[in-house]
Amino acid sequence: MDTVDEAEEHQTLTSDPLTNQFGSLNDLCHELSSLQDLACRGSWRSILDKVARARKLSLLSKPHEHLTYLSYNLLALTKLRRFSDASAELDSLEDDLDSSQYNYQSYPQHYPNRSGSMVPFALRWLHAELPSKLGKRQETLDRFYLLLDLVRTKLTDNESKNLSVSDELWRKRECFVINSLISHHLSNKEFGVCLNLVNDLINRSGDTKNPVLLSKLGFIQMQIGDLERAKATFDMIEGLVKEGKGEVELRNLVSRNKALIYLVGKDYVSAVREYDECVERDGSDVVAINNKAICLMYLRDLSDSIKVLESALESIPTVALNETLVVNLCSMYELAYVNHSDIKRTLSNWIARVAPDDFDSSSTRI
């Protein structure tokens, strides 16, 4: 998530007419490309070291560089689950993020003829997300709704100025913030709020034929227990994908939606068939791989369910290595083997060698 969002932030800078003169990310900020590369590889401890070094040696010369490095430092601390440290780092800011001291026009010597906020969007997102990590759920919700207001204000401004490129970026950010809100409301089983949010997003965007948005709508309808509407939504998505001779990703989305309906009806054989089709089209579809293994487990085929997950970890480790898949695999080990502790310890040792810094090693439950 985060790295995608960061990439969008960098794209905004590099596509700005005032910054076209720069040839690389490093021209925009000290060793920015190195930070981006470390984030993509999950090397969060290295990011903390690099930020600490840059600060100690006073390598950051412009105000926006301090904010960019702060964003990466906060992201790294959050990924490493050092939430109190991240909160303290955020509290070190002298003013709120909308203060004039974080505007380009406050530093004409550094940014001639440039105006607006220099606060990275990733920093605003972390500012909203962090309180929930410290048990302050309502504060997170309040901040996300304020962030949504800011995003929609930007969209209104862009529309009045006919800024289509910037408008597209802020549309993505609107979707990103609403998805964050939906995630928090879903975790508290506030399904009605989720339904309103996704319907509002679909209506505001005018994109009533977006398969991804419609899939989210169908999923929420399932959570509410409205299976008929969920099926109708999923059927609509299938028609849209067939009509457009959909890409592999969209065709897999259709198959995963079908499988969800089968799962609710406990038709695990049919669900496995749909997931198999996904994997045949795209061998790195980890959602399909994981869910196929769970269905096999429900069918009392523990041997094959374990093979599915082990094969994924072996063949596509950078994609398949996530806590959910590992927790499921270890649960299957516990059901299948008397000596499951030894097997899980072997898995844990392998994970320690290949996993990114933020991988939660407790997922092996040793």
Side-chain angles (χ1 to χ4, degrees), residues 15-291:
S15 63
D16 190 319
L18 295 174
T19 54
N20 281 343
Q21 58 189 312
F22 298 116
S24 71
L25 290 176
N26 292 338
D27 293 326
L28 294 169
C29 182
H30 177 72
E31 292 192 4
L32 186 55
S33 60
S34 174
L35 287 174
Q36 178 77 341
D37 180 60
L38 289 170
C40 289
R41 290 192 280 118
S43 300
W44 306 110
R45 294 187 183 89
S46 296
I47 286 178
L48 294 180
D49 291 342
K50 183 173 282 291
V51 172
R53 179 177 178 275
R55 288 171 171 174
K56 182 179 180 181
L57 299 178
S58 301
L59 299 177
L60 310 177
S61 59
K62 295 182 179 180
H64 82 276
E65 292 184 316
H66 289 280
L67 288 173
T68 300
Y69 267 64
L70 172 66
S71 300
Y72 275 99
N73 211 50
L74 278 173
L75 180 59
L77 289 169
T78 302
K79 286 288 188 178
L80 294 169
R81 290 173 287 282
R82 292 171 55 181
F83 304 125
S84 295
D85 291 339
S87 182
E89 176 92 350
L90 194 55
D91 290 342
S92 70
L93 290 174
E94 296 176 6
D95 287 304
D96 66 67
L97 298 180
D98 294 317
S99 167
S100 60
Q101 76 159 309
Y102 301 129
N103 290 337
Y104 289 110
Q105 62 266 33
S106 298
Y107 309 91
Q109 71 278 22
H110 290 305
Y111 315 104
N113 304 316
R114 184 163 190 175
S115 63
S117 175
M118 66 177 71
V119 177
F121 188 76
L123 181 54
R124 293 185 183 277
W125 185 88
L126 286 163
H127 174 260
E129 181 67 24
L130 261 176
S132 68
K133 306 297 185 182
L134 297 169
K136 302 174 183 177
R137 176 179 178 271
Q138 190 57 52
E139 189 173 342
T140 277
L141 290 175
D142 291 343
R143 289 184 179 184
F144 268 126
Y145 279 109
L146 286 172
L147 183 54
L148 183 59
D149 286 342
L150 181 146
V151 169
R152 287 178 168 169
T153 299
K154 288 288 185 182
L155 281 169
T156 301
D157 291 345
N158 288 339
E159 287 170 4
S160 66
K161 298 173 184 175
N162 293 319
L163 299 176
S164 58
V165 174
S166 182
D167 187 68
E168 182 181 350
L169 177 63
W170 285 97
R171 286 279 175 212
K172 290 180 180 178
R173 288 173 173 174
E174 180 186 32
C175 189
F176 187 62
V177 173
I178 288 179
N179 279 325
S180 296
L181 280 166
I182 288 173
S183 177
H184 283 287
H185 285 299
L186 273 179
S187 67
N188 215 44
K189 298 184 178 181
E190 295 164 346
F191 302 126
V193 179
C194 296
L195 194 61
N196 290 337
L197 283 167
V198 73
N199 275 320
D200 184 47
L201 181 59
I202 291 171
N203 293 332
R204 288 177 66 91
S205 67
D207 196 357
T208 57
K209 295 185 177 181
N210 184 317
V212 176
L213 278 180
L214 289 172
S215 284
K216 188 169 289 290
L217 173 62
F219 176 76
I220 294 169
Q221 288 167 334
M222 286 186 66
Q223 295 296 312
I224 294 172
D226 193 345
L227 291 183
E228 290 306 312
R229 285 193 179 179
K231 288 178 182 177
T233 301
F234 290 155
D235 287 343
M236 184 192 308
I237 296 165
E238 184 174 9
L240 290 170
V241 172
K242 283 182 178 178
E243 179 183 305
K245 297 179 181 178
E247 304 167 358
V248 166
E249 185 177 345
L250 292 179
R251 288 160 65 195
N252 275 19
L253 181 64
V254 168
S255 291
R256 290 198 302 269
N257 288 342
K258 286 182 178 179
L260 277 178
I261 298 294
Y262 287 131
L263 276 171
V264 171
K266 298 185 179 181
D267 183 355
Y268 304 121
V269 172
S270 296
V272 167
R273 184 182 66 244
E274 294 296 336
Y275 290 131
D276 275 335
E277 289 185 11
C278 291
V279 177
E280 284 176 16
R281 295 190 201 104
D282 177 9
S284 62
D285 188 335
V286 177
V287 174
I289 291 169
N290 180 72
N291 290 358

Side-chain angles (χ1 to χ4, degrees), residues 324-336:
T324 300
L325 189 147
V326 169
V327 165
N328 290 336
L329 178 57
C330 289
S331 296
M332 293 170 191
Y333 284 154
E334 290 167 6
L335 291 170

